[in-house]
Amino acid sequence: MSLDVRTVTASDYPDWLRAVQNGFLTAGSPSEEDVADRLADTDLSRLQGAFDAGRCVATYRSFAQELTVVGGATVPADAVSGVTVAPTHRRRGLLSRMMATDLAAAKERGEVVATLIAAEYPIYGRFGFGPATWTTEWEVSVPRAGLDPRRSGQPEDGGRIEMVDGADVRKYGPELHTRLAALRPGVVSRSERWWKRHTGTTVIPAHEKWTEPFYVIRRDASGEVDGLMVYDTDDKWGDAKQPLNTASVRDLIALTPAAERALWLFLCSVDWITTIRSGYRAPDDLLPQFLPDPRAARTVTHADWLWLRLLDVERALEARTYEREASLALDVRDGGGVAEGRFLLDVSPDGARCTPTTRSADLALGAGELAALYLGDGSVRRLVDLGRAEELRTGAAATADAVFRTGRRPWCPDIF
């Protein structure tokens, strides 16, 4: 029987969700309550499934998202999630078919980019995606950090730390996140449901094993909330009745370096905590340098994170800002896809213009490579050295690096 690849209906949804869980190795059937809760927040027109004899064997979901680009503007994004293919049905082109359908629809809707978090590195480059942000996690040995154990944990700049509850997080968090997004390229939007889910006020799937975390906010000297931290702890003691607890940070939003420093130093001051897991942070996070001994922060994870695919090259390149004046002709290769073409990018601190051109190209590169540069993190020089971009005019790589790269690396705090 031929495979039926199509849009998912409400009656299909429980089977589709079960296939998602199987694909991500969380076996078991979702509860009726879980299905109803998720379905109420799902746009079925953006769900696809492959069905074999009525059983769902591949899944694909997209949803509307906003992505912050360099300079603080946002662009509409097609966020891709829930992608699975059953091990019994691999290598049959199912993902390719669903991806082509979704990206064509996203382009038609006017979405500028597509985004995803890649569970496996090799999959998405062949669809024109590139890793646009990276992430790093540190493990901090608090006793080695060199901090004064007599510190109270309160900031020394006139601000203060307050322990709060989930209702306070839902009150302050969305505005804090919106303000963070204006400051950091790579940040993606969070829905109201996101805040409910991460404070335990909506249905949590059984396999996620929700436990209530600790919530703290930081107020500056004027009383304005400028930081938020969410963390949980284990309960571990040594043989000599010594506390050896680890605090794991689930979320940290800080609008200023002072707020960020205050939140980290507060956590280091909590009694019984001897180890801190930072959660996924930007690779150039300030955390290690907040400690008198930065070697107390050991890197435990460093990996690609947000993957990006440009759907509208002209609108994407015009949406972000640039710090210098330059002109580049880019030959973008996309296998005949939506990003294919030669584009003239004229930029200055006052703005940018990107148009199709017949001018001789300065650089040739793939759509995925351009996506990896877009948020300011990639290096054109490295791409040329790796054979993934071609410098067609001497000095073009150096010019492109000066045009695209940013002082701070982009960062996406979320998984989706």
Side-chain angles (χ1 to χ4, degrees):
M1 184 177 294
S2 63
L3 291 166
D4 181 19
V5 180
R6 57 177 171 79
T7 302
V8 171
T9 67
S11 61
D12 295 325
Y13 187 70
D15 186 32
W16 183 92
L17 189 55
R18 186 181 304 109
V20 171
Q21 292 191 186
N22 289 340
F24 286 100
L25 302 184
T26 53
S29 297
S31 67
E32 291 185 7
E33 186 181 28
D34 185 21
V35 169
D37 179 71
R38 293 190 189 212
L39 186 56
D41 193 55
T42 296
D43 181 354
L44 288 172
S45 70
R46 297 180 67 155
L47 262 65
Q48 298 180 70
F51 296 84
D52 187 354
R55 181 180 294 277
C56 189
V57 295
T59 63
Y60 188 108
R61 175 193 177 215
S62 73
F63 61 93
Q65 188 184 71
E66 295 289 322
L67 170 71
T68 300
V69 301
V70 179
T74 60
V75 296
D78 177 54
V80 177
S81 184
V83 176
T84 73
V85 177
T88 54
H89 287 71
R90 298 174 64 220
R91 302 293 185 264
R92 302 192 194 184
L94 298 179
L95 174 55
S96 296
R97 291 170 63 181
M98 294 187 294
M99 179 72 73
T101 298
D102 179 66
L103 295 184
K107 175 76 172 178
E108 182 68 24
R109 285 191 297 266
E111 289 159 339
V112 174
V113 298
T115 60
L116 57 84
I117 307 294
E120 298 177 61
Y121 193 100
I123 296 174
Y124 294 100
R126 59 194 174 99
F127 299 112
F129 286 81
T133 79
W134 292 68
T135 194
T136 302
E137 182 177 20
W138 286 273
E139 182 177 274
V140 178
S141 171
V142 176
R144 286 192 54 196
L147 296 166
D148 186 345
R150 297 169 295 179
R151 286 188 72 258
S152 68
Q154 288 294 345
E156 298 172 354
D157 60 359
R160 68 180 187 274
I161 301 290
E162 297 176 7
M163 299 200 74
V164 297
D165 58 23
D168 293 303
V169 171
R170 293 189 295 277
K171 175 182 177 181
Y172 296 115
E175 181 184 354
L176 281 173
H177 183 267
T178 298
R179 293 171 66 188
L180 173 70
L183 300 172
R184 196 80 184 232
V187 174
V188 296
S189 52
R190 291 178 176 179
S191 66
E192 180 183 359
R193 188 174 188 275
W194 188 99
W195 291 100
K196 290 181 177 179
R197 185 179 182 86
H198 288 81
T199 52
T201 55
T202 190
V203 178
I204 307 296
H207 66 268
E208 294 191 9
K209 299 177 182 178
W210 166 263
T211 56
E212 189 78 16
F214 298 95
Y215 307 101
V216 297
I217 59 172
R218 134 88 187 200
R219 294 185 186 272
D220 65 16
S222 70
E224 182 180 4
V225 177
D226 63 0
L228 162 71
M229 175 183 277
V230 181
Y231 65 95
D232 56 27
T233 64
D234 61 11
D235 184 21
K236 184 178 180 181
W237 290 73
D239 293 336
K241 202 174 180 297
Q242 295 172 317
L244 299 172
N245 293 287
T246 296
S248 298
V249 175
R250 296 188 186 181
D251 195 18
L252 189 153
I253 298 174
L255 302 182
T256 66
E260 191 173 350
R261 180 178 188 273
L263 289 166
W264 285 122
L265 296 189
F266 161 79
L267 192 57
C268 287
S269 75
V270 176
D271 287 343
W272 297 4
I273 290 176
T274 58
T275 303
I276 293 171
R277 298 281 295 217
S278 70
Y280 291 159
R281 309 291 301 167
D284 62 347
D285 199 84
L286 301 177
L287 167 61
Q289 302 303 319
F290 286 141
L291 307 174
D293 184 354
R295 293 183 184 180
R298 177 177 66 93
T299 299
V300 292
T301 301
H302 178 73
D304 56 283
W305 193 242
L306 181 73
W307 285 59
L308 196 63
R309 202 246 197 262
L310 302 189
L311 300 174
D312 188 326
V313 173
E314 295 163 63
R315 287 176 62 198
L317 294 183
E318 289 181 349
R320 57 157 289 176
T321 59
Y322 305 86
E323 294 185 358
R324 61 165 291 173
E325 187 171 336
S327 181
L328 284 167
L330 304 173
D331 189 5
V332 183
R333 298 164 181 174
D334 192 21
V338 295
E340 180 92 12
R342 187 174 299 172
F343 304 91
L344 180 61
L345 177 63
D346 290 308
V347 303
S348 77
D350 296 325
R353 180 165 173 76
C354 182
T355 55
T357 186
T358 57
R359 195 183 97 175
S360 296
D362 301 313
L363 282 171
L365 71 173
E369 284 67 39
L370 182 58
L373 299 172
Y374 179 58
L375 295 179
D377 199 44
S379 163
V380 179
R381 181 74 265 164
R382 290 190 78 227
L383 291 175
V384 170
D385 291 345
L386 289 165
R388 297 176 185 170
E390 185 179 359
E391 186 178 43
L392 302 174
R393 176 180 59 80
T394 301
T399 300
D401 273 333
V403 165
F404 281 102
R405 301 194 82 174
T406 55
R408 292 294 303 274
R409 299 181 70 173
W411 174 53
C412 178
D414 293 323
I415 188 169
F416 54 89

